[in-house]
Amino acid sequence: MRNAVVLAAGKGTRMKSGLPKVMHKILGQPMIGHVLTHLNEVHTDKNIMVVGHGAQLIQDYLKDQVLYALQAEQKGTGHAVMQAIDQLDPTGDTVLLYGDCPCVQSETIEWLFESNKDHDLTVLTAFFFDPAKYGRVIRDKKGRIKKIVEFKDCSPNELKVKEINTGIYCFKNEALIKYIAQITNNNAQGEYYITDLVEIFLNHDLRVQAISVKDNEEVMGVNDRQDLLNAQRWIQKKINAKWIDNGVTFLNPQSTYISLQTTFEEDVVLYPNVFLEGKNHIRRNTTITSNSFIRDSRIGQNVTIDSSRITDCVIGDNVNIGPFAHLRNGCQIGDGNRIGNFVEMKNTVMGQDNRCAHLTYLGDTEVGDDVNFGCGVVTVNYDGHNKFKTKIGDHAFIGSNVNLIAPISVGTNGVIAAGSTVTEDIPDDAMAIARQRQENKPGLGKKYIEKK
Ligand code: UD1
Ligand code: CA
């Protein structure tokens, strides 16, 4: 059996924040989501999250993706693991991860499971030029790991050691379950350190090894907002490099922000300051220009998105959007549509080849094919209490500055004269004119101007 335990109960005092540390976002996704994404890429039978500070927030976010253990009071990493111990399988291996190490890749987790086959404990270490406040890995003359000493407990000589404990381990469950109770809090911080198990295991002739990670930066821990930025930069670089290798053109990858869950086909072009959050899929030959923000959406082929915001939408092929359009709440836009500047759409479903080029709001609207919207069309979908639907049939022509008071429908080939406020359904092939007739008063214009 393969288990994983992720520690995420700490407050993260140095973040200076009301939010629990692991809920701070990297590329739009809480740090703990990054850890879980990589963990999910590895086969495990059980993942247990130890939560304490902000437990509710974390559980609301991760829901039933993991099992939970509550650590009500934070008495150290050893104490945190004790809270999860009853949920572990009696045999097998457990990888221990920290919720504040968001860069750890699935290959590294897999490597730890495999490396621990003939051991009871494998410690992942790194060599840091500046080992700072990390725990130091102390080896004997033969190079075997002897113990891990926390920064605050180090002798001057131990402080000089450059090999540090990453905080990532793999344990044999039998040994972990048997010996975890032997950890004491007899140290500088009065905490139960999981790192004490190195010495405890060795004292019982168990097999302990320390192996070091290939890329030191992968194991960086986030303790303050400076670390958070460093981790974000590292992850951003890694994600963008992957897509550059897979046929995406970036004008400036340093200022393009792409979530772990976004995927692309070939020949997508991304301008600077593009933000793609959540789970998106962008199809081939699509271009997204600066200051576009897209979340949880699917975008078709040969689409142009120009400085626009799109959330929770599905966009077809050959669609032009923007500049400055806003599509949200489940819009489904078919192929060949044109959605121009200052157009907002909410929960609107569109067929093909419609033109909605300027200053328009469509809410809760169903549109057929080949409809033309003039400038400034508004669906009046909300009466202050309830939302109502608008339906517009194929080939309809909606004049400029038309208000459609919903619920309402416009038939196939329906035409609405500019400036109309329509309140009743318009049958197929009909024209609606709903405005006052114009009156011209001879001479009155000149008189008015001369008076000024
Ligand atoms: C820990 C290691 C240290 C290692 C470093 C790597 C111990 C004793 N020390 O130190 O050797 O170099 O990580 O980053 O393990 N947590 C809980 N409950 C607690 C305490 C911590 O859930 O009671 C969680 C925190 O939320 C955090 C993680 O465990 O995600 C690490 O805790 P932290 O206090 O940051 O440990 P370090 O002092 O960094
Ligand atoms: Ca830490």
Side-chain angles (χ1 to χ4, degrees), residues 6-12 14 21-22 50-52 71 73-81 97-101 133-136 148-151 164-169 189 191-196 219-223:
V6 182
L7 303 191
K11 182 165 189 281
R14 282 173 281 172
K21 177 160 75 179
V22 298
V50 179
V51 291
Q71 187 194 25
E73 239 186 299
Q74 283 69 54
K75 298 182 188 167
T77 48
H79 180 257
V81 177
L97 301 169
Y98 289 169
D100 64 356
C101 280
K133 294 190 172 167
Y134 286 95
R136 303 298 200 265
I148 295 169
V149 185
E150 286 310 293
F151 168 78
I164 62 97
N165 168 32
T166 63
I168 300 161
Y169 325 80
Q189 301 190 85
E191 286 186 359
Y192 295 87
Y193 294 161
I194 195 69
T195 46
D196 285 359
V219 295
M220 68 176 113
V222 173
N223 292 309

Side-chain angles (χ1 to χ4, degrees), residues 399-402 416-422 431-438:
S400 290
N401 256 337
V402 163
I416 305 175
S420 295
T421 291
V422 290
M431 178 186 285
I433 308 170
R435 62 183 189 220
Q436 289 250 277
R437 236 175 222 296
Q438 180 174 329

Side-chain angles (χ1 to χ4, degrees), residues 16-260:
K16 309 240 164 75
S17 169
L19 208 60
K21 177 160 75 179
V22 298
M23 288 302 288
H24 280 262
K25 286 180 179 175
I26 290 178
L27 301 171
Q29 182 185 21
M31 233 189 285
I32 195 71
H34 285 257
V35 175
L36 199 62
T37 300
H38 295 305
L39 183 54
N40 282 337
E41 289 160 4
V42 179
H43 162 75
T44 54
D45 300 286
K46 223 183 235 185
N47 298 329
I48 303 158
M49 188 76 57
V50 179
V51 291
H53 269 284
Q56 196 56 52
L57 267 176
I58 298 171
Q59 283 175 265
D60 287 348
Y61 170 60
L62 294 176
K63 305 215 168 64
D64 56 3
Q65 288 185 78
V66 292
L67 301 168
Y68 296 95
L70 183 69
Q71 187 194 25
E73 239 186 299
Q74 283 69 54
K75 298 182 188 167
T77 48
H79 180 257
V81 177
M82 288 175 199
Q83 313 311 307
I85 209 85
D86 290 341
Q87 295 189 61
L88 295 181
D89 289 313
T91 59
D93 293 88
T94 292
V95 157
L96 178 59
L97 301 169
Y98 289 169
D100 64 356
C101 280
C103 303
V104 177
Q105 303 291 301
S106 53
E107 293 81 4
T108 305
I109 302 172
E110 182 63 41
W111 182 51
L112 269 174
F113 274 122
E114 280 164 19
S115 303
N116 202 48
K117 271 207 180 91
D118 300 317
H119 284 81
D120 296 292
L121 169 55
T122 301
V123 179
L124 187 66
T125 73
F127 288 86
F128 282 178
F129 180 71
D130 174 15
K133 294 190 172 167
Y134 286 95
R136 303 298 200 265
V137 175
I138 310 300
R139 292 180 182 262
D140 66 14
K141 289 203 182 77
K142 288 185 175 156
R144 291 172 306 201
I145 183 169
K146 249 170 54 183
K147 58 180 174 177
I148 295 169
V149 185
E150 286 310 293
F151 168 78
K152 287 188 180 152
D153 302 294
C154 275
S155 68
N157 261 341
E158 287 168 338
L159 278 179
K160 288 181 196 151
V161 173
K162 303 259 189 258
E163 186 177 17
I164 62 97
N165 168 32
T166 63
I168 300 161
Y169 325 80
C170 190
F171 295 91
K172 276 279 174 303
N173 286 8
E174 272 176 298
L176 179 62
I177 294 164
K178 188 163 175 197
Y179 293 112
I180 193 160
Q182 295 195 10
I183 297 174
T184 63
N185 62 352
N186 187 14
N187 53 53
Q189 301 190 85
E191 286 186 359
Y192 295 87
Y193 294 161
I194 195 69
T195 46
D196 285 359
L197 281 180
V198 172
E199 270 186 288
I200 295 172
F201 276 22
L202 288 172
N203 288 341
H204 290 91
D205 294 323
L206 297 182
R207 302 153 301 173
V208 181
Q209 64 175 343
I211 59 177
S212 43
V213 69
K214 290 170 196 98
D215 182 346
N216 280 337
E217 288 185 289
E218 187 187 330
V219 295
M220 68 176 113
V222 173
N223 292 309
D224 56 33
R225 289 180 196 253
Q226 196 60 56
D227 295 338
L228 185 70
L229 267 177
N230 291 337
Q232 164 148 323
R233 258 183 232 122
W234 189 87
I235 293 170
Q236 180 192 23
K237 209 171 154 191
K238 199 165 178 75
I239 292 173
N240 293 356
K242 171 180 147 188
W243 292 115
I244 290 167
D245 288 344
N246 281 285
V248 175
T249 297
F250 290 75
L251 271 62
N252 181 12
Q254 284 90 326
S255 64
T256 310
Y257 304 85
I258 298 167
S259 66
L260 271 177

